[in-house]
Amino acid sequence: MVLKDMLNQLKYLSDCFAENGIYDIYTNSKIYEVLMSEQFEHKLVNGHAYTPDAGDKLGNYYEYKHFKMSSSNHTWTFNDYSVQTIQKLQNIKSVFFSVIDDSFVTPQIAEVYCVTGKEVARYLSINTPYIVNARRMINISASQIVNQMSYERILIKNNEYSELLTSVFESIYEIETELNVTGLLTSNKLWELLVACELGHNINTEQKKYDAVDLKGNTFEYKVTIRSPWTFQDISDNVLNSYLKDDGIVLATVDKRNFVVKRIYMCSSRAVVKVLQDRMYKKLQSGKEIRRLNAFIGMRDVRDMLERGDAKWLL
């Protein structure tokens, strides 16, 4: 089966989930929330950061946390912690801290630590005042749950998933095997693949390296979103210097529902870095609290680069 047919199969599966009210299953590990909801017989909740992940027929709500056994980080993370995080947990029946064995084509939930929302809120209230990282991120390990919380440990002997969900993982495995890549269901990698197909690039799924490379060995950073602006997260001098080593920065927009790449701009790495540096300087000089060192490239920036010859409109 050619790659185009494989991607069409993923679109078909995405459409099937969308018909059941589950959207964008291929971004930011959303598919693993789908996997957990099927195992626990919950219904996913579509919402924002402060809405619960899932609910049941009795009106109870749940929060999902997971890590994959192939990951180097075997802890569960609460990103961008805030007072609202605790307020949300007060209304959650349970938090499911799941360990996912992803050595199988269809990943299996190996074990789960089930902790009440109020208990997790209590733990965070005690421990988060000591957070010193700018992002206010806290990691929770299994030993911390065992030693500092009341919990129920559940060993999953029989993982039961729908044929539809199993087909997603089988289709992803087929593409990853064909392209010799991994991690298409994490972050934004599948949408980067769509853009790479348009440009004739090969994607790179290794972290902390370039996103794609062409047949001449030129490397590129990809930023893919559903609409402008394009956000660059956790900017540092090392990150900006890595961008300067690339032969270009690709800014693209995609229609995730229809699996269509809408726009592609090939930008000069130096021009993009200059805009990011200027924005970061203004942010740092503002005197405001900075939770994350983020900056964006908007359409006005792209138009300016096009006029100066620092960018090309490819699609």
Side-chain angles (χ1 to χ4, degrees):
M1 185 182 293
V2 298
L3 181 58
K4 183 177 180 181
D5 293 332
M6 296 179 188
L7 293 173
N8 284 336
Q9 172 67 6
L10 288 182
K11 179 187 180 302
Y12 166 75
L13 295 170
S14 175
D15 289 342
C16 291
F17 276 102
E19 288 175 2
N20 293 305
I22 302 173
Y23 305 100
D24 195 12
I25 61 173
Y26 300 127
T27 302
N28 293 332
S29 298
K30 176 68 174 288
I31 196 68
Y32 295 103
E33 292 184 4
V34 177
L35 181 144
M36 286 185 280
S37 71
E38 288 199 0
Q39 179 64 42
F40 306 136
E41 297 184 339
H42 295 161
K43 183 176 181 179
L44 286 181
V45 175
N46 290 306
H48 52 73
Y50 297 113
T51 55
D53 290 325
D56 64 19
K57 295 178 181 179
L58 299 176
N60 299 309
Y61 291 104
Y62 304 90
E63 179 79 5
Y64 291 160
K65 294 291 180 183
H66 78 273
F67 68 72
K68 292 175 288 185
M69 292 176 69
S70 66
S71 170
S72 60
N73 178 18
H74 284 193
T75 63
W76 298 278
T77 303
F78 284 83
N79 281 314
D80 298 318
Y81 164 82
S82 70
V83 173
Q84 286 178 288
T85 306
I86 284 184
Q87 293 174 341
K88 168 187 172 182
L89 288 168
Q90 295 288 355
N91 299 315
I92 294 292
K93 180 178 181 180
S94 301
V95 180
F96 286 80
F97 295 93
S98 298
V99 179
I100 295 180
D101 184 352
D102 55 336
S103 63
F104 301 92
V105 173
T106 299
Q108 307 291 298
I109 301 176
E111 61 179 332
V112 179
Y113 293 86
C114 184
V115 185
T116 67
K118 293 183 184 298
E119 182 72 355
V120 178
R122 179 194 64 80
Y123 175 86
L124 292 178
S125 296
I126 294 171
N127 290 276
T128 50
Y130 304 101
I131 294 176
V132 295
N133 60 77
R135 287 180 57 182
R136 295 185 183 176
M137 177 180 70
I138 185 169
N139 293 325
I140 296 177
S141 67
S143 63
Q144 287 170 314
I145 292 176
V146 170
N147 294 325
Q148 301 182 51
M149 302 184 208
S150 297
Y151 67 95
E152 178 186 2
R153 182 168 178 254
I154 305 170
L155 296 177
I156 308 294
K157 294 184 178 179
N158 297 307
N159 285 259
E160 298 181 0
Y161 310 124
S162 66
E163 182 178 345
L164 194 62
L165 180 58
T166 300
S167 295
V168 168
F169 287 111
E170 290 175 346
S171 298
I172 287 292
Y173 176 76
E174 189 175 9
I175 294 175
E176 290 181 340
T177 302
E178 176 71 20
L179 300 179
N180 192 28
V181 299
T182 59
L184 285 182
L185 288 174
T186 58
S187 189
N188 227 21
K189 284 300 174 184
L190 183 62
W191 310 114
E192 291 178 8
L193 174 59
L194 254 65
V195 175
C197 289
E198 292 288 342
L199 297 177
H201 293 173
N202 294 315
I203 63 167
N204 175 39
T205 53
E206 291 184 58
Q207 293 291 331
K208 299 182 180 179
K209 287 190 175 182
Y210 54 84
D211 289 324
V213 59
D214 66 14
L215 296 177
K216 296 180 180 179
N218 298 310
T219 63
F220 304 91
E221 174 74 14
Y222 277 19
K223 290 296 175 185
V224 183
T225 184
I226 58 174
R227 66 180 68 87
S228 64
W230 294 267
T231 301
F232 291 70
Q233 297 182 334
D234 300 324
I235 295 173
S236 66
D237 288 339
N238 287 338
V239 169
L240 294 178
N241 287 333
S242 71
Y243 292 162
L244 292 174
K245 294 177 183 178
D246 290 324
D247 295 282
I249 295 180
V250 174
L251 305 178
T253 58
V254 296
D255 178 345
K256 293 182 178 181
R257 186 68 186 272
N258 293 304
F259 270 59
V260 173
V261 181
K262 297 164 61 179
R263 291 285 185 271
I264 301 177
Y265 302 97
M266 177 67 74
C267 305
S268 158
S269 298
R270 291 189 177 277
V272 170
V273 167
K274 179 65 167 60
V275 174
L276 297 177
Q277 286 175 327
D278 290 345
R279 289 229 160 85
M280 286 307 305
Y281 178 78
K282 292 178 181 177
K283 181 178 288 190
L284 292 169
Q285 293 299 309
S286 69
K288 298 179 181 178
E289 180 187 17
I290 299 175
R291 293 287 295 274
R292 299 184 72 172
L293 293 176
N294 297 346
F296 68 90
I297 299 291
M299 275 308 303
R300 178 176 294 182
D301 304 309
V302 172
R303 285 192 288 268
D304 289 344
M305 286 188 283
L306 288 169
E307 290 177 3
R308 295 195 307 266
D310 287 330
K312 294 180 180 179
W313 185 356
L314 302 182
L315 179 65

